[in-house]
């Protein structure tokens, strides 16, 4: 279910500041045409914290429609740092959602015992499989390989988006001994190639708005054991990812997508501000000439 590249879609805005639903649909079809196995709606890349409930519902609706047409997996980000409200949000997910990406509780720092209790409680109530979002540099809560392995043994917990800021010992340990039916998806774009080399199933990658086919080919190359091709692709894509993350995500990505005519504006909502012209130009240059 989780293998391959899943693109966490940006939320485009039109000139009046409203959600550009037509542009979301266009982007969704494009990345699926180019080899993505699924979409992620309402992730950090989609600026979920700035969307009101009606806007969130419209984003899910269009993504669910596209995924149903294309027989692709739709994963929806479910935010919250307390168990009760997160469980309620899971129960309220509409039809068409195939999985939920749920972040490790942020700011509260409940400890690993609290993390286990949180996800085990959610797993008993969720209507769809859960993907743990492990990103300790945002949440302030580290989670060890042993804890992730324990959670991965629950039949309703399907995987983890692993974004620890690099390849650490826990990543090596986890991938060396995964529970049956539990997959690791890379979440740090620049490190996706080495994580795939260690056995990751795929990735949830904002950079894959661009060069989607190349990211899909990278997954295939590692899974097929073609290390020479995979290393070449991985180095090229890491340079592109670095350029796209030169400013806070998704500002540069939106700037590039707008320059390509794929979204109506490069706008983001405060507290984000649009990427500078130099960052956008550099990212476009690296995407065209990644070796330079």
């Amino acid at each position: 279910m989780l293998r391959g590249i899943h693109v966490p879609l940006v939320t485009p805005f039109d000139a009046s500041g409203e959600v550009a639903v037509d542009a979301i649909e266009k982007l969704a079809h494009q990345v699926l045409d180019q080899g993505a196995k699924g979409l992620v709606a309402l992730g950090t890349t989609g600026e979920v914290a700035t969307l009101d409930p009606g806007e969130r519902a419209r984003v899910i609706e269009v993504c669910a429609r596209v995924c149903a047409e294309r027989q692709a997996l739709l994963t929806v980000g479910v935010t919250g740092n307390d168990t009760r409200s997160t469980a309620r949000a899971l129960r309220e997910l509409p039809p068409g959602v195939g999985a939920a990406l749920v972040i490790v509780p942020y700011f509260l720092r409940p400890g690993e015992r609290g993390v286990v209790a949180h996800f085990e409680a959610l797993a008993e109530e969720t209507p769809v499989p859960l993907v743990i979002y492990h990103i300790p540099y945002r949440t302030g809560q580290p989670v060890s390989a042993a804890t992730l392995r324990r959670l991965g043994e629950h039949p309703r917990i399907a995987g983890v988006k692993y974004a620890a800021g690099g390849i650490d010992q826990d990543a090596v340990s986890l991938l060396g001994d995964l529970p049956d039916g539990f997959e690791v998806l890379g979440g740090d774009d620049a490190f996706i190639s080495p994580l795939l080399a260690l056995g990751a199933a795929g990735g949830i990658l904002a950079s894959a708005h661009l060069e989607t086919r190349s990211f899909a080919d990278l997954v295939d190359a590692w899974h097929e054991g073609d290390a020479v091709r995979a290393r070449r692709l991985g180095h090229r894509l890491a340079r592109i990812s670095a350029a796209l993350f030169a400013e806070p995500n998704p500002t540069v990505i939106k700037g590039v997508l707008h320059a390509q005519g794929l979204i109506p504006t490069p706008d983001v909502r405060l507290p984000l501000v649009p990427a500078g012209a130099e960052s956008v130009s550099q990212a476009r240059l690296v995407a065209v000439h990644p070796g330079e």
Side-chain angles (χ1 to χ4, degrees):
M1 180 182 75
L2 295 178
R3 295 181 75 81
I5 294 297
H6 301 256
V7 179
L9 288 180
V10 300
T11 302
F13 302 117
D14 63 23
S16 67
E18 298 297 316
V19 172
V21 174
D22 290 348
I24 296 173
E25 185 166 1
K26 180 179 178 181
L27 281 176
H29 279 294
Q30 175 169 298
V31 298
L32 293 173
D33 284 342
Q34 294 182 6
K37 297 298 185 184
L39 307 175
V40 179
L42 305 185
T44 307
T45 303
E47 298 174 74
V48 61
T50 72
L51 304 180
D52 66 34
E55 291 171 330
R56 295 181 188 189
R58 287 196 293 278
V59 170
I60 294 175
E61 180 183 7
V62 67
C63 290
R65 184 172 67 250
V66 172
C67 284
E69 292 173 6
R70 305 296 298 273
Q71 296 186 317
L73 176 67
L74 172 60
T75 301
V76 170
V78 176
T79 57
N81 64 347
D82 74 289
T83 307
R84 185 169 62 172
S85 69
T86 306
R88 182 169 59 249
L90 286 168
R91 292 193 300 268
E92 293 173 352
L93 287 171
V97 177
L101 179 64
V102 181
I103 196 166
V104 170
Y106 50 87
F107 192 75
L108 295 177
R109 301 179 68 183
E112 294 200 52
R113 289 175 56 228
V115 171
V116 169
H118 175 74
F119 279 102
E120 287 183 342
L122 296 179
E124 295 304 316
E125 299 200 42
T126 180
V128 297
L130 301 181
V131 179
I132 299 166
Y133 188 3
H134 173 52
I135 184 165
Y137 53 86
R138 284 187 184 269
T139 64
Q141 176 61 64
V143 182
S144 67
T147 294
L148 290 171
R149 193 176 292 115
R150 173 178 170 177
L151 288 170
E153 292 172 352
H154 196 290
R156 297 297 281 170
I157 299 179
V160 58
K161 178 182 177 182
Y162 199 90
I167 306 298
D168 59 7
Q169 181 58 48
D170 277 317
V172 176
S173 175
L174 178 64
L175 284 159
D177 184 22
L178 285 174
D180 291 340
F182 183 76
E183 303 284 14
V184 174
L185 296 173
D188 288 312
D189 298 38
F191 302 110
I192 185 61
S193 187
L195 204 66
L196 289 166
L198 287 168
I204 297 176
L205 306 174
S207 300
H209 281 86
L210 309 174
E211 292 276 356
T212 314
R213 174 59 62 188
S214 294
F215 278 102
D217 288 347
L218 175 67
V219 174
D220 290 343
W222 278 120
H223 289 172
E224 293 165 5
D226 189 347
V228 172
R229 177 166 168 255
R231 289 191 188 106
R232 183 175 64 250
L233 271 172
H235 287 305
R236 181 170 73 84
L237 293 173
R239 288 190 287 271
I240 293 173
S241 294
L244 291 173
F245 280 78
E247 296 191 38
N249 183 48
T251 62
V252 180
I253 291 170
K254 277 191 159 183
V256 173
L257 292 173
H258 173 63
Q260 293 178 338
L262 295 172
I263 60 176
T265 73
D267 295 347
V268 290
R269 287 180 175 171
L270 289 170
L272 294 174
V273 294
E278 183 176 347
S279 294
V280 174
S281 296
Q282 182 62 25
R284 296 184 70 193
L285 177 65
V286 171
V288 174
H289 305 289
E292 295 182 7

